[in-house]
Amino acid sequence: MEELLKGFEVPPKNSSEAALRRWRKLVTIVRNPRRRFRMIANLEKRSEAEQQKLKIKEKIRVALIVQKAALQFIDAAGPLDYKITDEVRQANFGIEPDELASIVHGHDIKRLKSHGGVDGIAEKVTVSLDEGVLSENVSTRQRIYGFNQYTEKPPRTFWMFVWDALQDLTLIILMICAVVSIGVGLATEGWPKGMYDGAGILLSIILVVLVTAISDYRQSLQFRDLDREKKKISVQVTRDGRRQQVSIYDLVVGDVVHLGIGDQVPADGLFISGYSMQIDESSLSGETDLVDIYEQKPFLLSGTKVRDGSAKMLVTAVGMRTEWGKLMETLNEGGEDETPLQVKLNGVATIIGKIGLTFAVLTFLVLTVRFLIEKALHNEFTKWSSTDALTLLDYFAIAVTIIVVAVPEGLPLAVTLSLAFAMKQLMDERALVRHLSACETMGSASCICTDKTGTLTTNHMVVNKIWICEKISNIGDNENKNIDELEIHESVFSIFLRSIFLNSSAEVVKDENGKNSILGTPTETALLEFGLLLSADHDAYRRRFKILKVEPFNSDRKKMSVLVALPEGRIQAFCKGAPEIVLRMCEKVVDSSGEVVLLSEERVRDITEAINGFASDALRTLCVAVKDVGETFNENGIPDSGYTLIAVFGIKDPVRPGVKEAVQTCLAAGITVRMVTGDNINTAKAIAKECGILTAEENAIEGPEFSSKSPDEMKDIIPNIQVMARSKPSDKLNFVTNLRNMFGEVVAVTGDGTNDAPALRQSDIGLAMGIAGTEDLPLSQLYNCFGLI
């Protein structure tokens, strides 16, 4: 059987169209291809959709490149004349939906300026850029400007499934047999006796069709529910004067959306404000170069991705008025690729079907030949009656019945149902499965490369210890009594708070009850919570100091920096990030008396010991530093040397309950668990030991050291690596690639940020920690980055 199934093999991931077509050609005998292949990719429709997609991309490419160049040669003109419909005017809006959408589509800066720029557009869609949309106006905006939903194929009705079931070749043959049987029976035996055989066959057919159609229809409803769950994605917007999360389907024109690294732009819009914003438009235009977004180039297109920086965006077009909406419409065609097991079971069904067909033909031939011989022996070969015709019809019905019984047409569908049931069970466990094949591949995993933060740990971070003014203070779990005892020199206190409040991507917002809540990554949240406990007014610091430039944190820089203008006219730069990065940038430090002194080698050793001590206690370490820049603002960048070290934080992130038991279960099942993290190696070791992952000190390595090894050296050390710390995205990708290619491992990777995307895409199974993990990378973006879950 294994030899026969050789042709029925496809790669478990990213199968080529040629491979998919090859095995389908082998399925030469299919009783009902319309039903058997209904849950898998329709290659013809997929090809048509791909052509349509390429046309749309070319159109967008022209709009982004050619049209932008052509606009430079158009003479300046006054405001463009166009009529506003009564419906738009009565809704108190000053711009038509198509006019608003076309400004962003065409990157038409001239028309944007004719409408008064971003502020003018905001006025015409009656929204305050500070307060955002009012909730009571959402329905009006949806009525005028549309919903942020894409056109999808209408769901199939029950009668469509009945029709599909009736396409079965054997059922068609049986229906013909039934009609012939009724005709012959009525002619020879009369009413009602002549109806019995034919009516019995028809009732059986009706029963089979109804059972098949009901099963398929219920299955389609289940898939529709699963698909609806997959699409529940939230974005952060300012509404009713406060920052909150809403579903992407509830976005309306006029919403002020907050974007950060890794986000997918959820609708077309205009840049309001932000820092170092770079967009990847390759998903639309095919151009791989990153595009800088700023006040003079403010156009943001739905479906593009934020590769660097952060910004606020004014939504100008949603749903099918965006080019991404038209692309999404093409993605409705084609269906999902088959899983390897589905392909093999289709092969098994086909082979058994051929065997069944062979025996059915032989049975019919043997019975017919025997019948003819008997007639010849009784000298009745020339005498034929309706009874003889019914006898031959019965023989034919027997042959058809053998085919029906022998060919396991429901086998591949049963696998699909089983995988769908597994998806449902996993969803009940709050694990949302993106593709059916993941349920199958998960059972074959031999290695898990897990992230630390948010996966092995609870991802609820608090400042536990702090080194400042050459002293280590134990804060506990941000207990007020310990905060009150914290000794920070008066001359350092103000700068210390600035480094927390101003150099942060998190925000303090008020909820519906008027209570403060913090929106941001867990690390940022921990620092802001600590600052607020020092009885400091976050909003007062934000209002008093003006932020001139921001370099957001990313996995390559491993730091975040800002330039801040002080009220007296001076400019200060603040930096926070990984200790080994920030410490190299520092030349001075604040001593125990609050004075700024040179950072001698002895002091560096003391600080390093403090950092290692924090890390050995399984604390995440973070350094903050400051530099007086002077009175000139350098547009080219923020300084990366000459800083003064202010403090070192030790942030606690407790291990998630049950992790140690889960690791032991995996090890007992023969699955190797490896931790791959960007944290300090001592922190990573401490957590790995607590989880039962690390068994020997020499089994831990840092990412840069690993990537510097030759292929032969990697082959020797990879089997023993249990912890990889300070890893960059390229290190993680390199590790996963070698595990798969060198050792043939089936690798599962967990991830919670853009730095994990390359490894997730390369892995056999990608697990997005979008609920339990951090929200650095929305699920929508992860789904675009990798293949399985």
Side-chain angles (χ1 to χ4, degrees), residues 663-683:
V663 169
Q664 292 304 317
T665 302
C666 289
L667 295 175
I671 301 172
T672 307
V673 181
R674 295 177 166 94
M675 178 198 288
V676 185
T677 179
D679 268 353
N680 180 293
I681 190 166
N682 292 319
T683 306

mmCIF file with all atom_site columns, all heavy atoms in Angstrom, residues 663-683:
data_model
loop_
_atom_site.group_PDB
_atom_site.id
_atom_site.type_symbol
_atom_site.label_atom_id
_atom_site.label_alt_id
_atom_site.label_comp_id
_atom_site.label_asym_id
_atom_site.label_entity_id
_atom_site.label_seq_id
_atom_site.pdbx_PDB_ins_code
_atom_site.Cartn_x
_atom_site.Cartn_y
_atom_site.Cartn_z
_atom_site.occupancy
_atom_site.B_iso_or_equiv
_atom_site.pdbx_formal_charge
_atom_site.auth_seq_id
_atom_site.auth_comp_id
_atom_site.auth_asym_id
_atom_site.auth_atom_id
_atom_site.pdbx_PDB_model_num
ATOM 1   N N   . VAL A 1 663 ? 5.971  20.963 31.001 1.00 0.00 ? 663 VAL A N   1
ATOM 2   C CA  . VAL A 1 663 ? 7.288  20.650 30.434 1.00 0.00 ? 663 VAL A CA  1
ATOM 3   C C   . VAL A 1 663 ? 7.624  19.183 30.680 1.00 0.00 ? 663 VAL A C   1
ATOM 4   O O   . VAL A 1 663 ? 8.111  18.482 29.784 1.00 0.00 ? 663 VAL A O   1
ATOM 5   C CB  . VAL A 1 663 ? 8.373  21.575 31.024 1.00 0.00 ? 663 VAL A CB  1
ATOM 6   C CG1 . VAL A 1 663 ? 9.766  21.087 30.643 1.00 0.00 ? 663 VAL A CG1 1
ATOM 7   C CG2 . VAL A 1 663 ? 8.171  23.012 30.555 1.00 0.00 ? 663 VAL A CG2 1
ATOM 8   N N   . GLN A 1 664 ? 7.352  18.713 31.888 1.00 0.00 ? 664 GLN A N   1
ATOM 9   C CA  . GLN A 1 664 ? 7.631  17.310 32.211 1.00 0.00 ? 664 GLN A CA  1
ATOM 10  C C   . GLN A 1 664 ? 6.788  16.368 31.355 1.00 0.00 ? 664 GLN A C   1
ATOM 11  O O   . GLN A 1 664 ? 7.255  15.317 30.913 1.00 0.00 ? 664 GLN A O   1
ATOM 12  C CB  . GLN A 1 664 ? 7.353  17.050 33.701 1.00 0.00 ? 664 GLN A CB  1
ATOM 13  C CG  . GLN A 1 664 ? 8.315  17.755 34.646 1.00 0.00 ? 664 GLN A CG  1
ATOM 14  C CD  . GLN A 1 664 ? 9.771  17.404 34.363 1.00 0.00 ? 664 GLN A CD  1
ATOM 15  O OE1 . GLN A 1 664 ? 10.112 16.245 34.118 1.00 0.00 ? 664 GLN A OE1 1
ATOM 16  N NE2 . GLN A 1 664 ? 10.641 18.417 34.396 1.00 0.00 ? 664 GLN A NE2 1
ATOM 17  N N   . THR A 1 665 ? 5.546  16.756 31.092 1.00 0.00 ? 665 THR A N   1
ATOM 18  C CA  . THR A 1 665 ? 4.670  15.946 30.233 1.00 0.00 ? 665 THR A CA  1
ATOM 19  C C   . THR A 1 665 ? 5.235  15.852 28.822 1.00 0.00 ? 665 THR A C   1
ATOM 20  O O   . THR A 1 665 ? 5.254  14.777 28.207 1.00 0.00 ? 665 THR A O   1
ATOM 21  C CB  . THR A 1 665 ? 3.251  16.542 30.194 1.00 0.00 ? 665 THR A CB  1
ATOM 22  O OG1 . THR A 1 665 ? 2.731  16.612 31.511 1.00 0.00 ? 665 THR A OG1 1
ATOM 23  C CG2 . THR A 1 665 ? 2.329  15.703 29.318 1.00 0.00 ? 665 THR A CG2 1
ATOM 24  N N   . CYS A 1 666 ? 5.717  16.984 28.307 1.00 0.00 ? 666 CYS A N   1
ATOM 25  C CA  . CYS A 1 666 ? 6.319  16.998 26.961 1.00 0.00 ? 666 CYS A CA  1
ATOM 26  C C   . CYS A 1 666 ? 7.556  16.116 26.910 1.00 0.00 ? 666 CYS A C   1
ATOM 27  O O   . CYS A 1 666 ? 7.741  15.333 25.973 1.00 0.00 ? 666 CYS A O   1
ATOM 28  C CB  . CYS A 1 666 ? 6.683  18.432 26.558 1.00 0.00 ? 666 CYS A CB  1
ATOM 29  S SG  . CYS A 1 666 ? 5.269  19.482 26.204 1.00 0.00 ? 666 CYS A SG  1
ATOM 30  N N   . LEU A 1 667 ? 8.413  16.245 27.922 1.00 0.00 ? 667 LEU A N   1
ATOM 31  C CA  . LEU A 1 667 ? 9.643  15.442 27.952 1.00 0.00 ? 667 LEU A CA  1
ATOM 32  C C   . LEU A 1 667 ? 9.323  13.955 28.030 1.00 0.00 ? 667 LEU A C   1
ATOM 33  O O   . LEU A 1 667 ? 9.975  13.135 27.378 1.00 0.00 ? 667 LEU A O   1
ATOM 34  C CB  . LEU A 1 667 ? 10.510 15.870 29.144 1.00 0.00 ? 667 LEU A CB  1
ATOM 35  C CG  . LEU A 1 667 ? 11.073 17.301 29.090 1.00 0.00 ? 667 LEU A CG  1
ATOM 36  C CD1 . LEU A 1 667 ? 11.817 17.629 30.382 1.00 0.00 ? 667 LEU A CD1 1
ATOM 37  C CD2 . LEU A 1 667 ? 11.995 17.485 27.891 1.00 0.00 ? 667 LEU A CD2 1
ATOM 38  N N   . ALA A 1 668 ? 8.290  13.610 28.828 1.00 0.00 ? 668 ALA A N   1
ATOM 39  C CA  . ALA A 1 668 ? 7.897  12.203 28.945 1.00 0.00 ? 668 ALA A CA  1
ATOM 40  C C   . ALA A 1 668 ? 7.352  11.671 27.625 1.00 0.00 ? 668 ALA A C   1
ATOM 41  O O   . ALA A 1 668 ? 7.464  10.476 27.331 1.00 0.00 ? 668 ALA A O   1
ATOM 42  C CB  . ALA A 1 668 ? 6.843  12.056 30.045 1.00 0.00 ? 668 ALA A CB  1
ATOM 43  N N   . ALA A 1 669 ? 6.766  12.558 26.809 1.00 0.00 ? 669 ALA A N   1
ATOM 44  C CA  . ALA A 1 669 ? 6.221  12.155 25.511 1.00 0.00 ? 669 ALA A CA  1
ATOM 45  C C   . ALA A 1 669 ? 7.288  12.153 24.427 1.00 0.00 ? 669 ALA A C   1
ATOM 46  O O   . ALA A 1 669 ? 6.990  11.870 23.256 1.00 0.00 ? 669 ALA A O   1
ATOM 47  C CB  . ALA A 1 669 ? 5.084  13.094 25.118 1.00 0.00 ? 669 ALA A CB  1
ATOM 48  N N   . GLY A 1 670 ? 8.534  12.484 24.792 1.00 0.00 ? 670 GLY A N   1
ATOM 49  C CA  . GLY A 1 670 ? 9.617  12.490 23.815 1.00 0.00 ? 670 GLY A CA  1
ATOM 50  C C   . GLY A 1 670 ? 9.742  13.785 23.045 1.00 0.00 ? 670 GLY A C   1
ATOM 51  O O   . GLY A 1 670 ? 10.419 13.837 22.016 1.00 0.00 ? 670 GLY A O   1
ATOM 52  N N   . ILE A 1 671 ? 9.099  14.840 23.522 1.00 0.00 ? 671 ILE A N   1
ATOM 53  C CA  . ILE A 1 671 ? 9.175  16.147 22.864 1.00 0.00 ? 671 ILE A CA  1
ATOM 54  C C   . ILE A 1 671 ? 10.188 17.011 23.610 1.00 0.00 ? 671 ILE A C   1
ATOM 55  O O   . ILE A 1 671 ? 10.062 17.222 24.821 1.00 0.00 ? 671 ILE A O   1
ATOM 56  C CB  . ILE A 1 671 ? 7.800  16.845 22.859 1.00 0.00 ? 671 ILE A CB  1
ATOM 57  C CG1 . ILE A 1 671 ? 6.770  15.986 22.128 1.00 0.00 ? 671 ILE A CG1 1
ATOM 58  C CG2 . ILE A 1 671 ? 7.902  18.214 22.198 1.00 0.00 ? 671 ILE A CG2 1
ATOM 59  C CD1 . ILE A 1 671 ? 5.352  16.503 22.245 1.00 0.00 ? 671 ILE A CD1 1
ATOM 60  N N   . THR A 1 672 ? 11.190 17.491 22.912 1.00 0.00 ? 672 THR A N   1
ATOM 61  C CA  . THR A 1 672 ? 12.213 18.346 23.519 1.00 0.00 ? 672 THR A CA  1
ATOM 62  C C   . THR A 1 672 ? 11.701 19.776 23.600 1.00 0.00 ? 672 THR A C   1
ATOM 63  O O   . THR A 1 672 ? 11.172 20.309 22.624 1.00 0.00 ? 672 THR A O   1
ATOM 64  C CB  . THR A 1 672 ? 13.503 18.321 22.675 1.00 0.00 ? 672 THR A CB  1
ATOM 65  O OG1 . THR A 1 672 ? 13.905 16.969 22.478 1.00 0.00 ? 672 THR A OG1 1
ATOM 66  C CG2 . THR A 1 672 ? 14.609 19.098 23.358 1.00 0.00 ? 672 THR A CG2 1
ATOM 67  N N   . VAL A 1 673 ? 11.844 20.385 24.779 1.00 0.00 ? 673 VAL A N   1
ATOM 68  C CA  . VAL A 1 673 ? 11.416 21.774 24.980 1.00 0.00 ? 673 VAL A CA  1
ATOM 69  C C   . VAL A 1 673 ? 12.651 22.658 25.090 1.00 0.00 ? 673 VAL A C   1
ATOM 70  O O   . VAL A 1 673 ? 13.541 22.398 25.909 1.00 0.00 ? 673 VAL A O   1
ATOM 71  C CB  . VAL A 1 673 ? 10.542 21.918 26.251 1.00 0.00 ? 673 VAL A CB  1
ATOM 72  C CG1 . VAL A 1 673 ? 10.085 23.369 26.411 1.00 0.00 ? 673 VAL A CG1 1
ATOM 73  C CG2 . VAL A 1 673 ? 9.335  20.999 26.177 1.00 0.00 ? 673 VAL A CG2 1
ATOM 74  N N   . ARG A 1 674 ? 12.720 23.677 24.245 1.00 0.00 ? 674 ARG A N   1
ATOM 75  C CA  . ARG A 1 674 ? 13.838 24.624 24.256 1.00 0.00 ? 674 ARG A CA  1
ATOM 76  C C   . ARG A 1 674 ? 13.299 26.035 24.436 1.00 0.00 ? 674 ARG A C   1
ATOM 77  O O   . ARG A 1 674 ? 12.298 26.395 23.824 1.00 0.00 ? 674 ARG A O   1
ATOM 78  C CB  . ARG A 1 674 ? 14.638 24.528 22.953 1.00 0.00 ? 674 ARG A CB  1
ATOM 79  C CG  . ARG A 1 674 ? 15.340 23.192 22.737 1.00 0.00 ? 674 ARG A CG  1
ATOM 80  C CD  . ARG A 1 674 ? 16.040 23.151 21.391 1.00 0.00 ? 674 ARG A CD  1
ATOM 81  N NE  . ARG A 1 674 ? 16.969 22.047 21.269 1.00 0.00 ? 674 ARG A NE  1
ATOM 82  C CZ  . ARG A 1 674 ? 16.667 20.870 20.748 1.00 0.00 ? 674 ARG A CZ  1
ATOM 83  N NH1 . ARG A 1 674 ? 15.448 20.651 20.302 1.00 0.00 ? 674 ARG A NH1 1
ATOM 84  N NH2 . ARG A 1 674 ? 17.568 19.906 20.678 1.00 0.00 ? 674 ARG A NH2 1
ATOM 85  N N   . MET A 1 675 ? 13.974 26.832 25.257 1.00 0.00 ? 675 MET A N   1
ATOM 86  C CA  . MET A 1 675 ? 13.585 28.221 25.459 1.00 0.00 ? 675 MET A CA  1
ATOM 87  C C   . MET A 1 675 ? 14.441 29.122 24.566 1.00 0.00 ? 675 MET A C   1
ATOM 88  O O   . MET A 1 675 ? 15.669 29.039 24.595 1.00 0.00 ? 675 MET A O   1
ATOM 89  C CB  . MET A 1 675 ? 13.766 28.639 26.926 1.00 0.00 ? 675 MET A CB  1
ATOM 90  C CG  . MET A 1 675 ? 13.406 30.104 27.184 1.00 0.00 ? 675 MET A CG  1
ATOM 91  S SD  . MET A 1 675 ? 14.088 30.727 28.738 1.00 0.00 ? 675 MET A SD  1
ATOM 92  C CE  . MET A 1 675 ? 13.044 29.876 29.906 1.00 0.00 ? 675 MET A CE  1
ATOM 93  N N   . VAL A 1 676 ? 13.780 29.968 23.780 1.00 0.00 ? 676 VAL A N   1
ATOM 94  C CA  . VAL A 1 676 ? 14.472 30.942 22.943 1.00 0.00 ? 676 VAL A CA  1
ATOM 95  C C   . VAL A 1 676 ? 13.913 32.315 23.296 1.00 0.00 ? 676 VAL A C   1
ATOM 96  O O   . VAL A 1 676 ? 12.732 32.585 23.072 1.00 0.00 ? 676 VAL A O   1
ATOM 97  C CB  . VAL A 1 676 ? 14.270 30.660 21.442 1.00 0.00 ? 676 VAL A CB  1
ATOM 98  C CG1 . VAL A 1 676 ? 15.105 31.614 20.606 1.00 0.00 ? 676 VAL A CG1 1
ATOM 99  C CG2 . VAL A 1 676 ? 14.621 29.215 21.114 1.00 0.00 ? 676 VAL A CG2 1
ATOM 100 N N   . THR A 1 677 ? 14.758 33.173 23.871 1.00 0.00 ? 677 THR A N   1
ATOM 101 C CA  . THR A 1 677 ? 14.272 34.452 24.398 1.00 0.00 ? 677 THR A CA  1
ATOM 102 C C   . THR A 1 677 ? 15.275 35.565 24.124 1.00 0.00 ? 677 THR A C   1
ATOM 103 O O   . THR A 1 677 ? 16.446 35.306 23.857 1.00 0.00 ? 677 THR A O   1
ATOM 104 C CB  . THR A 1 677 ? 14.004 34.341 25.920 1.00 0.00 ? 677 THR A CB  1
ATOM 105 O OG1 . THR A 1 677 ? 13.561 35.586 26.426 1.00 0.00 ? 677 THR A OG1 1
ATOM 106 C CG2 . THR A 1 677 ? 15.276 33.930 26.663 1.00 0.00 ? 677 THR A CG2 1
ATOM 107 N N   . GLY A 1 678 ? 14.811 36.774 24.207 1.00 0.00 ? 678 GLY A N   1
ATOM 108 C CA  . GLY A 1 678 ? 15.684 37.933 24.036 1.00 0.00 ? 678 GLY A CA  1
ATOM 109 C C   . GLY A 1 678 ? 16.231 38.447 25.352 1.00 0.00 ? 678 GLY A C   1
ATOM 110 O O   . GLY A 1 678 ? 16.977 39.429 25.374 1.00 0.00 ? 678 GLY A O   1
ATOM 111 N N   . ASP A 1 679 ? 15.871 37.803 26.456 1.00 0.00 ? 679 ASP A N   1
ATOM 112 C CA  . ASP A 1 679 ? 16.298 38.265 27.777 1.00 0.00 ? 679 ASP A CA  1
ATOM 113 C C   . ASP A 1 679 ? 17.762 37.946 28.075 1.00 0.00 ? 679 ASP A C   1
ATOM 114 O O   . ASP A 1 679 ? 18.406 37.147 27.384 1.00 0.00 ? 679 ASP A O   1
ATOM 115 C CB  . ASP A 1 679 ? 15.414 37.623 28.856 1.00 0.00 ? 679 ASP A CB  1
ATOM 116 C CG  . ASP A 1 679 ? 14.208 38.492 29.191 1.00 0.00 ? 679 ASP A CG  1
ATOM 117 O OD1 . ASP A 1 679 ? 14.154 39.620 28.689 1.00 0.00 ? 679 ASP A OD1 1
ATOM 118 O OD2 . ASP A 1 679 ? 13.331 38.029 29.928 1.00 0.00 ? 679 ASP A OD2 1
ATOM 119 N N   . ASN A 1 680 ? 18.246 38.581 29.157 1.00 0.00 ? 680 ASN A N   1
ATOM 120 C CA  . ASN A 1 680 ? 19.580 38.316 29.689 1.00 0.00 ? 680 ASN A CA  1
ATOM 121 C C   . ASN A 1 680 ? 19.752 36.819 29.937 1.00 0.00 ? 680 ASN A C   1
ATOM 122 O O   . ASN A 1 680 ? 18.825 36.136 30.358 1.00 0.00 ? 680 ASN A O   1
ATOM 123 C CB  . ASN A 1 680 ? 19.722 39.110 30.993 1.00 0.00 ? 680 ASN A CB  1
ATOM 124 C CG  . ASN A 1 680 ? 21.052 38.918 31.654 1.00 0.00 ? 680 ASN A CG  1
ATOM 125 O OD1 . ASN A 1 680 ? 21.362 37.823 32.121 1.00 0.00 ? 680 ASN A OD1 1
ATOM 126 N ND2 . ASN A 1 680 ? 21.842 39.967 31.707 1.00 0.00 ? 680 ASN A ND2 1
ATOM 127 N N   . ILE A 1 681 ? 20.953 36.299 29.680 1.00 0.00 ? 681 ILE A N   1
ATOM 128 C CA  . ILE A 1 681 ? 21.173 34.853 29.778 1.00 0.00 ? 681 ILE A CA  1
ATOM 129 C C   . ILE A 1 681 ? 20.990 34.343 31.203 1.00 0.00 ? 681 ILE A C   1
ATOM 130 O O   . ILE A 1 681 ? 20.481 33.241 31.421 1.00 0.00 ? 681 ILE A O   1
ATOM 131 C CB  . ILE A 1 681 ? 22.560 34.461 29.219 1.00 0.00 ? 681 ILE A CB  1
ATOM 132 C CG1 . ILE A 1 681 ? 22.655 32.936 29.093 1.00 0.00 ? 681 ILE A CG1 1
ATOM 133 C CG2 . ILE A 1 681 ? 23.700 35.037 30.083 1.00 0.00 ? 681 ILE A CG2 1
ATOM 134 C CD1 . ILE A 1 681 ? 23.799 32.446 28.261 1.00 0.00 ? 681 ILE A CD1 1
ATOM 135 N N   . ASN A 1 682 ? 21.351 35.163 32.198 1.00 0.00 ? 682 ASN A N   1
ATOM 136 C CA  . ASN A 1 682 ? 21.176 34.718 33.583 1.00 0.00 ? 682 ASN A CA  1
ATOM 137 C C   . ASN A 1 682 ? 19.697 34.644 33.949 1.00 0.00 ? 682 ASN A C   1
ATOM 138 O O   . ASN A 1 682 ? 19.259 33.725 34.651 1.00 0.00 ? 682 ASN A O   1
ATOM 139 C CB  . ASN A 1 682 ? 21.912 35.661 34.539 1.00 0.00 ? 682 ASN A CB  1
ATOM 140 C CG  . ASN A 1 682 ? 23.419 35.572 34.385 1.00 0.00 ? 682 ASN A CG  1
ATOM 141 O OD1 . ASN A 1 682 ? 23.961 34.480 34.220 1.00 0.00 ? 682 ASN A OD1 1
ATOM 142 N ND2 . ASN A 1 682 ? 24.106 36.704 34.405 1.00 0.00 ? 682 ASN A ND2 1
ATOM 143 N N   . THR A 1 683 ? 18.908 35.623 33.476 1.00 0.00 ? 683 THR A N   1
ATOM 144 C CA  . THR A 1 683 ? 17.454 35.582 33.706 1.00 0.00 ? 683 THR A CA  1
ATOM 145 C C   . THR A 1 683 ? 16.865 34.352 33.033 1.00 0.00 ? 683 THR A C   1
ATOM 146 O O   . THR A 1 683 ? 16.045 33.637 33.615 1.00 0.00 ? 683 THR A O   1
ATOM 147 C CB  . THR A 1 683 ? 16.788 36.853 33.153 1.00 0.00 ? 683 THR A CB  1
ATOM 148 O OG1 . THR A 1 683 ? 17.422 38.003 33.697 1.00 0.00 ? 683 THR A OG1 1
ATOM 149 C CG2 . THR A 1 683 ? 15.314 36.875 33.478 1.00 0.00 ? 683 THR A CG2 1
#
